[in-house]
Amino acid sequence: DAMVIQNPRYQVTQFGKPVTLSCSQTLNHNVMYWYQQKSSQAPKLLFHYYDKDFNNEADTPDNFQSRRPNTSFCFLDIRSPGLGDAAMYLCATSRELGVTDTQYFGPGTRLTVL
Amino acid sequence: QKEVEQNSGPLSVPEGAIASLNCTYSDRGSQSFFWYRQYSGKSPELIMFIYSNGDKEDGRFTAQLNKASHYVSLLIRDSQPSDSATYLCALHDYKLSFGAGTTVTVRA
């Protein structure tokens, strides 16, 4: 089945230790998104790629970076995780950027920072 | 002012009843509205979206959009215990801007 896959599902890191989260998709969608969802809060967009074009949200901290080496894969790098970065990180894809293009979410990676 | 305001709940309804969820929004021009369901610890899953004024039905779910009032709602008919989840309203104008979510509990 076509889907959005995230690895790992659970990630534990130490304060300040870089971590990379992975997302892959078999939908062949042009757009890939990363959202951060903290406990009992709504998901918040960090950035998105349209093909190779990277688009950062204005309030996304510099500590968060992303790479998209090809259509199928997208990575979220957190350079120096702080305790406040503990959250569920959700990858989503959509075919295009149109207002009726559905975003499909992966299962998420839950990040714990010790 | 937040872009999407959602009645925070929690909302408790008996099995078989209608659950009504509401959002208001700040107009962004061209936009649509997506409803997602999120079970605890899981990722959001799409219920349906609406773009035009009026009602849109999909099975037990009906979305309603009133652009003049900046109001969007979701009705869940014949609520089942499996409908117990957090429901997220999202404005979509290239990205999803989510409301805070409404937690629904369906009592058996």
Side-chain angles (χ1 to χ4, degrees):
Chain A
D1 287 340
M3 59 178 58
V4 182
I5 301 161
Q6 291 188 246
N7 286 301
R9 297 292 308 280
Y10 301 90
Q11 176 72 58
V12 179
T13 191
Q14 292 180 331
F15 183 94
K17 185 174 181 181
V19 67
T20 295
L21 310 182
S22 170
C23 177
S24 63
Q25 54 128 344
T26 61
L27 296 160
N28 203 32
H29 282 174
N30 287 315
V31 194
M32 295 186 78
Y33 307 81
W34 281 104
Y35 288 85
Q36 178 193 61
Q37 187 176 24
K38 296 185 177 181
S39 181
S40 300
Q41 296 184 21
K44 179 177 177 298
L45 182 66
L46 295 173
F47 26 60
H48 76 274
Y49 274 94
Y50 183 88
D51 195 13
K52 294 186 183 299
D53 292 334
F54 176 72
N55 296 272
N56 201 27
E57 292 299 296
D59 55 356
T60 297
D62 292 340
N63 198 26
F64 292 87
Q65 304 286 321
S66 186
R67 297 170 283 134
R68 189 179 185 186
N70 54 54
T71 301
S72 301
F73 283 86
C74 195
F75 300 98
L76 171 62
D77 300 309
I78 309 176
R79 293 191 296 187
S80 182
L83 298 178
D85 296 327
M88 175 81 89
Y89 289 88
L90 297 163
C91 175
T93 73
S94 67
R95 188 178 56 85
E96 294 290 341
L97 281 170
V99 296
T100 58
D101 282 292
T102 299
Q103 291 188 22
Y104 296 94
F105 285 85
T109 295
R110 183 166 297 282
L111 178 68
T112 300
V113 182
L114 300 177
Chain B
Q1 182 186 1
K2 291 183 180 178
E3 292 177 304
V4 181
E5 298 272 3
Q6 190 170 355
N7 57 331
S8 58
L11 179 65
S12 179
V13 298
E15 185 174 359
I18 296 175
S20 178
L21 309 170
N22 307 305
C23 283
T24 57
Y25 64 93
S26 302
D27 193 18
R28 297 273 291 276
S30 179
Q31 71 242 312
S32 60
F33 297 89
F34 281 68
W35 284 97
Y36 284 86
R37 177 173 61 194
Q38 188 172 28
Y39 293 109
S40 180
K42 303 295 185 182
S43 63
E45 55 186 40
L46 178 70
I47 298 173
M48 63 190 304
F49 76 89
I50 187 165
Y51 177 70
S52 301
N53 256 341
D55 295 359
K56 182 180 180 182
E57 187 175 313
D58 185 357
R60 295 186 295 112
F61 299 95
T62 299
Q64 300 172 315
L65 175 59
N66 183 325
K67 292 185 179 181
S69 301
H70 296 173
Y71 179 88
V72 60
S73 66
L74 180 71
L75 300 177
I76 309 172
R77 291 184 302 280
D78 188 24
S79 295
Q80 302 296 311
S82 60
D83 294 327
S84 298
T86 296
Y87 289 79
L88 297 165
C89 167
L91 182 157
H92 184 1
D93 64 346
Y94 81 88
K95 67 177 184 180
L96 291 172
S97 298
F98 287 91
T102 301
T103 298
V104 174
T105 301
V106 180
R107 310 186 304 270

